[in-house]
Amino acid sequence: MPRMTARSRHEHHRASTPLELFFDLCFVVAVAQAGARLVHSLAEGHLGAGLAGYTAVFFAIWWAWMNFTWFASAYDSDDVLYRVVTLVQITGVLILAAGVPRAFDDRDFTVCVIGYIVIRLALTSQWLRAARNAADPGERGMALRYAAGLVVCQLGWVGLLFVPVGTARSLVFVALALAEVAVPVIAERDAQSTWHPHHIAERYGLFTLIVLGETVAAATVAVQEALDEHEALGELLPLAGGGLLIVFAAWWIYFAVPIAGHLVSNRQAFAWGYGHFVILGSAAAIGAGMEVAVEQAVGKAHISTAAASAAVTVPAALFMITVWALHSRHFKRTTAQQLVLPVSAAATLACTFAGHAAVLAAGLVAAATVATGVALTARDGEGEGRRVDGHG
């Protein structure tokens, strides 16, 4: 059997593999399930239950993806055993996706936990394999701590199934989630895994693209169904146009600057990686919000226009401000550039109260955000060039 050894963090031309892309695509099923349940909850006016369920379920989806992604960045050997074990993890992901409706609606995480057991058995075996082939005691200890952390946390999730639904279960869930995010920090306290900055940045970017694509697909289906049932073209066109502008702007804003150069150590990379829970969750929620807005426009949702509009504007604003905090602010050179996304996020929230034009208004704000950012970058870039040339 080939040895699984750590890959170099400075490896040239490191890119995502077809297996990694296949792994990501399988998560679309789970993301779509979470979005669909969120739509149902918000359309029925169950805001608190909907947000709590969505947050819990999306954490489970996102964390399963995180666990695989960072391991693969450091140890992807792409041999037969690695591929087979990864396919086993994909099986666990599909089981997890099948359990999303029960987890969301009834707080029954049994199927999700079974999916996690499959994922974790496979991933733990990968960490043990890495430990066996480690180059030094520090790396071996790190890999063993990862394996132990996965096992301990998974035992906690199994125990969660025996806690009665209610406040106690919610508190245990939060405690276990915090334990999960602590595992990488503890595991790498003495030795760091050799994750690749450009590879990690690409992997997160590709998953963001997949989530945005699911958002477009969900909104398109919602508009299509509404047209088939109600022929409300006048009400739906502004929603579709505004939603499309928001998604286009989200893509532009996220990919405006390359982030790999910022990921120089675990301190920067872990904060950046964990923060993507909000970026990815809000991106997926934009699509769910679009579906809610469409249902409200044709009279199928039992909520106000402002509430339906907020289902779009709030996640859109959250996406903007989080991308600024994690990405953009590290590359802005002037106060004007720094203010673009925070001001745009506030303006997007203000659009909530624009009545039936709220989503279109938010879309126009998003488009203006991109245009302003491009103009400021071009202006300040020219000014910097003049100073360098001695003409400023």
Side-chain angles (χ1 to χ4, degrees):
M1 182 176 63
R3 290 171 55 85
M4 173 183 279
T5 56
R7 299 182 66 156
S8 172
R9 181 171 291 189
H10 306 291
E11 184 179 344
H12 295 296
H13 310 298
R14 180 72 188 277
S16 298
T17 66
L19 182 58
E20 288 176 319
L21 298 178
F22 184 39
F23 188 88
D24 291 356
L25 286 173
C26 291
F27 273 88
V28 173
V29 180
V31 172
Q33 291 277 6
R37 308 318 295 178
L38 179 61
V39 170
H40 178 74
S41 293
L42 295 182
E44 293 298 320
H46 303 147
L47 177 63
L51 291 180
Y54 180 75
T55 301
V57 167
F58 200 88
F59 174 83
I61 297 168
W62 165 77
W63 191 247
W65 180 86
M66 282 266 294
N67 283 180
F68 167 79
T69 296
W70 288 81
F71 175 85
S73 188
Y75 288 101
D76 181 1
S77 56
D78 199 32
D79 55 34
V80 172
L81 180 58
Y82 176 86
R83 291 183 176 189
V84 170
V85 174
T86 300
L87 292 175
V88 171
Q89 290 186 69
I90 290 176
T91 303
V93 171
L94 297 177
I95 296 171
L96 169 65
V100 165
R102 287 187 179 185
F104 203 113
D105 297 337
D106 305 322
R107 301 298 186 267
D108 180 0
F109 285 88
T110 303
V111 177
C112 289
V113 169
I114 292 172
Y116 249 76
I117 290 173
V118 175
I119 295 170
R120 288 296 178 64
L121 285 174
L123 185 58
T124 300
S125 73
Q126 297 276 52
W127 277 116
L128 291 175
R129 185 183 175 195
R132 188 180 68 174
N133 297 314
D136 57 67
E139 181 190 351
R140 184 177 298 108
M142 175 203 66
L144 291 175
R145 284 192 293 272
Y146 263 115
L150 291 173
V151 171
V152 170
C153 287
Q154 191 55 49
L155 290 174
W157 291 117
V158 173
L160 178 71
L161 300 179
F162 300 95
V163 179
V165 175
T167 303
R169 174 174 281 197
S170 298
L171 292 175
V172 173
F173 185 99
V174 171
L176 287 171
L178 292 174
E180 289 279 3
V181 299
V183 168
V185 178
I186 295 172
E188 302 201 18
R189 68 176 186 268
D190 298 323
Q192 294 186 12
S193 59
T194 57
W195 49 267
H196 194 287
H198 291 277
H199 179 249
I200 284 292
E202 183 188 28
R203 298 287 296 116
Y204 273 79
L206 290 171
F207 197 52
T208 301
L209 283 176
I210 288 175
V211 172
L212 289 175
E214 169 56 29
T215 291
V216 172
T220 300
V221 170
V223 171
Q224 177 188 348
E225 291 178 350
L227 283 174
D228 291 343
E229 296 178 12
H230 300 276
E231 299 182 356
L233 189 61
E235 291 83 359
L236 296 178
L237 278 179
L239 288 174
L244 204 57
L245 287 174
I246 290 171
V247 174
F248 286 170
W251 169 83
W252 195 299
I253 290 167
Y254 184 90
F255 292 98
V257 291
I259 194 63
H262 174 67
L263 308 180
V264 296
S265 70
N266 280 4
R267 181 177 180 179
Q268 290 85 6
F270 282 2
W272 177 85
Y274 288 171
H276 269 72
F277 173 65
V278 181
I279 289 179
L280 296 168
S282 59
I286 292 171
M290 282 298 302
E291 292 188 66
V292 172
V294 168
E295 290 193 8
Q296 198 278 334
V298 297
K300 291 176 62 177
H302 308 295
I303 55 176
S304 66
T305 300
S309 300
V312 179
T313 58
V314 171
L318 193 57
F319 181 92
M320 288 181 183
I321 198 66
T322 310
V323 170
W324 171 79
L326 296 178
H327 269 163
S328 305
R329 68 183 179 88
H330 302 295
F331 302 92
K332 303 301 184 183
R333 292 173 294 181
T334 67
T335 301
Q337 287 182 352
Q338 287 286 9
L339 288 174
V340 170
L341 283 177
V343 170
S344 296
T348 300
L349 287 177
C351 291
T352 303
F353 308 101
H356 294 290
V359 174
L360 178 58
L364 294 174
V365 168
T369 301
V370 172
T372 303
V374 170
L376 287 174
T377 299
R379 185 199 69 181
D380 296 335
E382 290 175 0
E384 182 67 24
R386 286 194 298 270
R387 284 191 292 273
V388 170
D389 295 337
H391 302 297

